[in-house]
């Protein structure tokens, strides 16, 4: 495998021949840490290694425990979110129906030559549920 390192500016470049064994190690590292092989090579060349500040296995166990707790909470609250969504959709439908009834009421008041009513609070409520 041939590795070509080009600078950001200028014409100079470096060509390096990598053995298949070394390239295999680079690919394994890139898969293990979910980064591209180019990033692995860049980190190796620049020496920007980060050593874990604790025992890696212990931290991984804590992460797994936290993931389990998250999934338990997700299982618990998923039905509630679904019900809340259903209620909000019902509220939208009711707001639409109420808006239609208000319009019909105002038309009837005009027909009967009565004074029209201004229900500002009711209109605010309707606009809230239609959002």
């Amino acid at each position: 495998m041939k590795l070509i390192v080009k600078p950001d500016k200028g014409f100079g470049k470096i060509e390096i021949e990598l053995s298949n064994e070394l390239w295999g190690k680079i690919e394994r590292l890139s898969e293990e840490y979910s980064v591209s092989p180019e990033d692995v090579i860049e980190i190796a060349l620049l020496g920007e290694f980060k050593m874990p500040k604790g025992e890696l296995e212990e931290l991984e166990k804590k992460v797994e425990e936290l993931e389990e707790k998250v999934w338990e909470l997700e299982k618990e609250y998923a039905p509630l979110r679904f019900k809340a969504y259903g209620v909000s959709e019902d509220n939208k439908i009711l707001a639409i129906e109420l808006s239609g009834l208000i319009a019909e009421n105002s038309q009837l008041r005009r027909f009967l030559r009565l004074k029209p009513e201004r229900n500002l609070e009711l209109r605010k409520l309707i606009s809230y549920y239609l959002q």
Side-chain angles (χ1 to χ4, degrees):
M1 171 85 191
K2 189 181 246 184
L3 174 67
I4 300 173
V5 179
K6 296 180 183 179
D8 291 335
K9 294 182 179 179
F11 296 106
K13 65 180 177 181
I14 301 171
E15 294 182 14
I16 303 169
E17 189 68 35
L18 297 177
S19 67
N20 289 336
E21 179 185 347
L22 181 58
W23 182 249
K25 288 180 180 179
I26 290 171
E27 285 182 333
R28 271 188 260 119
L29 283 172
S30 70
E31 289 174 8
E32 183 178 341
Y33 294 105
S34 301
V35 295
S36 67
E38 292 83 12
D39 290 340
V40 171
I41 293 170
E42 183 179 340
I43 290 170
L45 289 175
L46 296 177
E48 296 177 354
F49 300 107
K50 294 182 180 178
M51 301 304 287
K53 292 185 179 177
E55 291 188 31
L56 193 57
E57 294 173 4
E58 190 176 312
L59 294 173
E60 287 176 348
K61 287 180 185 178
K62 286 182 181 179
V63 167
E64 287 176 9
E65 290 173 5
L66 290 173
E67 283 178 348
E68 288 176 16
K69 288 180 182 179
V70 165
W71 284 113
E72 288 174 14
L73 290 172
E74 179 68 25
K75 287 178 192 176
E76 186 176 332
Y77 290 109
L80 293 174
R81 279 200 318 268
F82 181 74
K83 288 178 185 176
Y85 174 76
V87 168
S88 71
E89 290 300 309
D90 290 345
N91 285 343
K92 282 183 183 179
I93 292 169
L94 290 173
I96 291 169
E97 288 179 12
L98 183 59
S99 177
L101 291 172
I102 289 173
E104 187 179 337
N105 189 8
S106 67
Q107 287 292 336
L108 289 172
R109 285 186 149 289
R110 269 193 229 130
F111 180 73
L112 295 174
R113 297 181 185 175
L114 296 174
K115 182 179 175 184
E117 291 181 0
R118 303 276 184 214
N119 296 326
L120 295 178
E121 290 181 24
L122 194 57
R123 290 184 189 274
K124 285 180 186 177
L125 251 157
I126 290 171
S127 67
Y128 172 79
Y129 283 112
L130 289 178
Q131 291 178 357

